[in-house]
Amino acid sequence: NELGRYHPFGISVLQTYIKCTFLQQLKNGGNTMEELIRNSISQYNDFIAEAHLYEKWLMQTDDPELKNQLSLLELKIAAINAWLNLLSADEKFVIQKHLIDKIEWPRVAFEFRERWKDEFTRTERSLQVYQANALAKIVSFATKHKEITLRLFPIRSSMD
């Protein structure tokens, strides 16, 4: 049986197939690690709101399933905070304003200028480069910790 045969290095054919399929999924069809990170970060405020709701609900009831859901949300929030801690102040500012607060680029540029009291200005393009660099840092970290990243933020198929 092909699936039960072991690779010379101790990895089964099935495990190798799964890893190759995952890597192919990351390269194709828009399901890249960067998109996964971008989508997860953009849900940050939703995660916080949902966790707050579960906390309030759990004050009224003792529901093990709700506790599990709250724990998962807290882990997602902690992971995103860890990602943000990898970034420079400017990269973090851009990610927070554009992806988390969902502010359009012209307003992000305006708020960046205001933050530095017109001492430092950046074009929208420069801020987009900050975001790209920030996402690259986070993707690198998340890829090193791929197993936990994918458990917290599973890749959704296009059929979901």
Side-chain angles (χ1 to χ4, degrees), residues 2-25 146:
E2 273 293 298
L3 294 177
R5 190 176 305 156
Y6 280 86
H7 190 274
F9 301 111
I11 300 171
S12 74
V13 173
L14 181 58
Q15 287 172 319
T16 304
Y17 171 78
I18 290 169
K19 286 180 183 178
C20 290
T21 302
F22 168 76
L23 292 174
Q24 194 62 38
Q25 218 180 10
K146 181 172 55 181

Side-chain angles (χ1 to χ4, degrees), residues 108-123:
V108 174
F110 175 77
E111 289 192 24
F112 187 89
R113 205 169 35 252
E114 271 193 342
R115 176 180 186 216
W116 294 106
K117 298 180 178 39
D118 288 325
E119 218 171 297
F120 299 104
T121 61
R122 297 289 184 265
T123 64

Side-chain angles (χ1 to χ4, degrees), residues 47 71-81 152-154 156:
F47 295 148
S71 293
L72 180 60
L73 284 168
E74 289 171 339
L75 286 169
K76 287 179 178 186
I77 292 165
I80 293 170
N81 284 327
L152 288 173
F153 309 101
R156 304 273 184 233

